[in-house]
Amino acid sequence: MSEQASHDHDPSSQADKRLAADPNIGNWERATLEKLVFATVQERRAARRWSIFFKLSFLLVAILALATYYDASIGFGGDENLGRHTALIEIKGEIEAAGSGAADTVIPSLNKAFSDAGSAAVVLRIDSPGGSPVQAGIIVDEIRRLKRGYPEKPLYVVVDEICASGGYYIASAADRIYVNKASIVGSVGVLMDSFGFVGTMDKLGVERRLLTAGENKGFLDPFSPQSEKHKAHAQAMLNEIHQQFISVVRAGRGKRLKETPETFSGLYWTGERAVAMGLADGYGTVDTVARDIVKAEDIVDYTAHEGLPERVLKKFGAAVGNGAVRAAYKGVVPQLR
């Protein structure tokens, strides 16, 4: 199409011709035409902006995908020969189905660290208040399997700020546990917490309408009165999981553990007290353990870190909804914390 033809189809040029050809057009018609022309121009500008936005978005997604690929490839070091070194894996935050404390995150790192011919030992650096007994139990089972498969390769735990409940559940499977004097250690216990709103609902005149198929389907519903039967059942589950926890600690610590009536009461202690009780073996950091215990000062991080897209999405709050759902659900399941 020629430039002249394009110009003829332009709404703004047609309006200008009409205004020039008919000087008797009223002011209101002139104003209407001007608004129409302005609206058309604005619409075209908006269309161009959206087109640019979508193109840039596609480009950003492509860049993030490439960054994730190279981040994952570089993170584990590929097949390069790293020489003799200390393998490091970090667990930070709660032990749950997502994040650095998830079994799906920790276990691949453990397998990579143990199987690497250059790793002289594996160090788990733990900074966790606890969490899911299921996730902790899966990790402990894998640690035991790997230790059987690589008996010459010890696994040590180094505690940062806190190693309690589910965190200590995992730590107890290590060959040795090193702490700081002021670290928080222990809390060998299980809890299940929730709220009851029955009295508040009565005061507000709110009626709870709960229909179930199965007499116990409304178990621990926070808007219904708690029955003694349900309370006893919940307590039995907690006691059973607690005994599982105790068995793991006893098996891991062995004769080093100096049991007292408070050892498995759910209390936690300073690192100094934990050493005296046999819950830990001594003081140390990742660097001192690598240098003085493993005798391999080179430290290689095998932790499965989040890729760039996950970090960007979390920064903009994309994980808020999922976290809220998990937080709401967490109150009615047993927790090691």
Side-chain angles (χ1 to χ4, degrees), residues 48-76:
R48 284 196 298 270
R49 290 193 191 103
W50 278 111
S51 176
I52 294 171
F53 171 78
F54 284 119
K55 289 177 181 177
L56 289 176
S57 298
F58 178 79
L59 180 61
L60 178 60
V61 170
I63 292 173
L64 291 176
L66 287 172
T68 302
Y69 173 77
Y70 286 109
D71 191 33
S73 299
I74 295 170
F76 272 154

Side-chain angles (χ1 to χ4, degrees), residues 8-22:
D8 290 341
H9 286 287
D10 188 352
S12 59
S13 80
Q14 292 179 9
D16 290 341
K17 288 181 179 180
R18 185 179 175 190
L19 290 172
D22 189 357

Side-chain angles (χ1 to χ4, degrees), residues 124-146:
L124 270 178
R125 177 157 58 191
I126 298 179
D127 187 3
S128 171
S132 166
V134 175
Q135 297 296 312
I138 294 172
I139 294 171
V140 166
D141 290 343
E142 184 65 11
I143 289 174
R144 288 173 172 173
R145 186 190 72 82
L146 289 168

Side-chain angles (χ1 to χ4, degrees), residues 107-250:
I107 288 176
S109 298
L110 285 170
N111 277 276
K112 185 72 175 178
F114 271 97
S115 63
D116 195 305
S119 64
V122 178
V123 174
L124 270 178
R125 177 157 58 191
I126 298 179
D127 187 3
S128 171
S132 166
V134 175
Q135 297 296 312
I138 294 172
I139 294 171
V140 166
D141 290 343
E142 184 65 11
I143 289 174
R144 288 173 172 173
R145 186 190 72 82
L146 289 168
K147 287 172 67 176
R148 289 193 300 269
Y150 301 90
E152 78 290 349
K153 199 166 293 191
L155 182 140
Y156 303 125
V157 161
V158 172
V159 177
D160 278 352
E161 300 290 337
I162 183 170
C163 181
S165 284
Y168 189 75
Y169 192 116
I170 296 172
S172 62
D175 293 290
R176 293 180 191 173
I177 300 174
Y178 296 95
V179 299
N180 182 274
K181 290 183 178 181
S183 298
I184 300 300
V185 182
S187 189
V188 182
V190 191
L191 64 79
M192 181 186 293
D193 57 344
S194 184
F195 295 93
F197 300 97
V198 179
T200 302
M201 292 171 62
D202 290 340
K203 291 180 181 179
L204 295 175
V206 179
E207 178 186 0
R208 171 63 165 165
R209 295 176 179 175
L210 176 65
L211 303 177
T212 65
E215 61 176 317
N216 296 310
K217 192 59 180 177
F219 176 68
L220 292 184
D221 173 48
F223 301 101
S224 301
Q226 185 181 46
S227 69
E228 288 301 319
K229 177 183 176 181
H230 287 175
K231 183 178 179 180
H233 183 74
Q235 188 61 54
M237 286 197 303
L238 295 177
N239 292 341
E240 184 177 352
I241 297 172
H242 190 206
Q243 287 303 314
Q244 296 169 3
F245 193 173
I246 293 172
S247 296
V248 170
V249 174
R250 282 175 173 163

Side-chain angles (χ1 to χ4, degrees), residues 172 247-259 278:
S172 62
S247 296
V248 170
V249 174
R250 282 175 173 163
R253 300 304 298 165
K255 294 181 179 180
R256 292 170 291 178
L257 187 65
K258 302 175 179 62
E259 285 191 35

